[in-house]
């Protein structure tokens, strides 16, 4: 027979029950009745103290044996755990503890899954005189309950609940008001409806508790996209204002939270107007009609719009910006600059400028460099031109549809590099192994020049050398 005195703790106890008390006797939760069983010592089960409080699985079989000394006899009671409590399933009176008839009856009453039954011990009768922790009443031995809690043993009267005690080691929701209790700022109390479990409680519940962990640093509310000062809001799948403090901006313009490219982080400041390209996340507004410079670039909601920088902050090594759609007055200078840039590609001087357009393929880009002379190391001196990038037909990830364009002038020679698709099938693995700058497509390079009619034609390296020989003439 299992002689362990400590009941096994269950992950999901089902039925709270008070084990009947006795002056002399024992209590056993029977889990198996072996075929060779002839006495109590042959039974398998979990011992419980008479008068204890525990949770039992539905259908558990409790054997209660009471000893009476005058005259000496044993009263044996079989109890079944039901949702209504312990119900008597059999009762016998004998002059010996247990016999073949009772063992046969126990085997019949035992549930088929009894071997898997586990018990959670909630409280035991107090084994020493003590005062009730809740009401202060003096308790003789066996008149109260001793509860096993995370802070040690707590003794109470049988009617009294376990009061809050100790300091909560972990944060969590208050068992009283459901507000958030930070670690070490509250106490522990029994969880409602879950015997043997403990949850933190406020020492004094606030009138408007925060539903989640407090926000430690200033950030932006995911609902209204306005600033949440440090310590005033809470976190629940994103930062929020405290209940009742969320209000939409008075300007009524849509706002977005975007990640600033690392190479531009130093140039972003509140009050600036920038052109952004962004895919609204869940809960963010889409692009309304009529905004200055606003365009939808893909079916996924990927958009381009002129935005006013409201605020910036650094998180995890990255710069985040809170932006709103710019007004026409705010966007006017940037719209004028974009128009001037577009006009720079018009014909001039009786000849025509040319545009070299290269599509990016899975992150691989092309380039255009003007050849300006000889170099002892690389053979030719190249001045790389800055491209103008068009995202109108781009997908959300920028793998296809991103076009880079360069303005090329007559009486110049250039070298052009462009990626050739399609990329290798495992191009993501290649780039992951070799780094973000690794190429996953083939590269085509050629020397070109622009004709007077604005056409781009390929030339040989010998023609480039001939151009360089007369550079002072054609570059003047």
């Amino acid at each position: 027979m299992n002689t362990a005195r400590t009941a096994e703790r269950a992950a999901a106890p089902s039925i709270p029950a008070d084990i009947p008390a006795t002056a002399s006797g024992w209590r056993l939760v029977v889990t198996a009745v072996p075929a060779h069983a002839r006495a109590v010592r042959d039974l398998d089960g979990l011992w419980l103290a008479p008068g204890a409080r525990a949770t039992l699985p539905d259908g558990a079989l409790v054997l209660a044996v009471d000893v009476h000394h005058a005259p000496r006899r044993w009263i044996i009671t079989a109890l079944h755990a039901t949702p209504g409590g312990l119900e008597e399933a059999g009762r016998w009176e004998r002059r010996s503890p247990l016999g073949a008839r009772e063992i046969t009856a126990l085997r019949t009453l035992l549930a088929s899954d009894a071997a898997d039954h586990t018990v959670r011990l909630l409280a035991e009768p107090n084994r020493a005189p003590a005062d009730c922790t809740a009401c202060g009443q003096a308790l003789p031995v066996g008149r109260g309950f001793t509860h096993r809690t995370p802070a040690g043993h707590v003794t109470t009267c049988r009617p009294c609940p376990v009061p809050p005690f100790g300091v909560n080691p972990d944060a969590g929701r208050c068992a009283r008001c459901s507000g958030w209790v930070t670690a070490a700022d509250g106490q522990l109390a029994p969880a409602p409806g879950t015997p043997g479990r403990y949850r933190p409680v406020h020492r004094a519940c606030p009138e408007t508790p925060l539903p989640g962990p407090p926000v430690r640093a200033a950030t932006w509310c995911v609902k209204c996209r306005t600033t949440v000062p440090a310590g005033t809001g809470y976190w629940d799948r994103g930062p929020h204002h405290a209940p009742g403090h969320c209000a939409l901006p008075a300007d009524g313009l849509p706002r977005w939270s975007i990640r600033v490219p690392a190479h531009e982080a130093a140039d972003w400041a509140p009050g600036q107007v920038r052109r952004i390209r962004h895919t609204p996340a869940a809960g963010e507004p889409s692009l309304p009609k009529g905004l200055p410079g606003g365009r939808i670039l893909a079916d996924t909601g990927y958009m381009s719009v002129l935005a006013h920088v409201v605020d910036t902050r650094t998180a995890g090594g990255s710069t985040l910006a809170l932006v709103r759609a710019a007004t026409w007055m705010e966007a006017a200078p940037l719209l004028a600059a974009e128009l001037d840039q577009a006009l720079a590609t018009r014909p001039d001087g009786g000849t025509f400028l040319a545009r070299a357009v290269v599509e990016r393929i899975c992150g691989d880009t092309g380039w255009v460099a003007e050849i300006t002379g000889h170099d002892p190391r690389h053979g030719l001196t190249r001045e790389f031109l800055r491209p103008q990038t068009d995202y109108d037909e781009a997908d959300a990830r920028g793998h296809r549809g991103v076009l880079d364009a360069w303005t090329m002038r007559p009486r110049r020679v250039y070298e052009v590099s462009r990626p050739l698709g399609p990329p290798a099938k495992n191009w993501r693995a290649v780039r992951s192994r070799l780094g973000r700058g690794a190429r996953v497509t083939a590269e085509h390079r050629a020397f070109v020049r622009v004709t007077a009619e604005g056409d781009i034609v390929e030339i040989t390296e010998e023609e480039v050398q001939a151009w360089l020989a007369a550079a002072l003439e054609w570059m003047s």
Side-chain angles (χ1 to χ4, degrees), residues 368-390:
V368 173
E370 183 179 353
I371 307 300
T372 59
H374 294 91
D375 183 86
R377 180 177 179 183
H378 301 287
L380 297 172
T381 302
R382 298 170 174 83
E383 292 185 4
F384 291 88
L385 308 183
R386 184 183 297 274
Q388 299 169 359
T389 307
D390 184 5

Side-chain angles (χ1 to χ4, degrees), residues 141-160:
V141 175
R143 296 295 298 273
F145 275 135
T146 298
H147 306 266
R148 298 179 181 180
T149 69
H153 289 77
V154 175
T155 303
T156 65
C157 301
R158 290 181 178 267
C160 286

Side-chain angles (χ1 to χ4, degrees), residues 2 6-15 28-32 44-47 55-62 79-82 109-120:
N2 185 356
T6 303
E8 185 177 348
R9 298 177 64 86
S14 52
I15 301 171
L28 178 67
V29 180
V30 183
T31 58
D44 292 338
L46 302 167
W47 291 102
T55 53
L56 308 173
D58 190 9
L61 180 61
V62 179
L79 303 170
H80 261 157
T82 66
L109 296 173
L110 198 64
S112 59
D113 60 344
D116 298 327
H117 285 179
T118 55
V119 177
R120 179 187 292 278

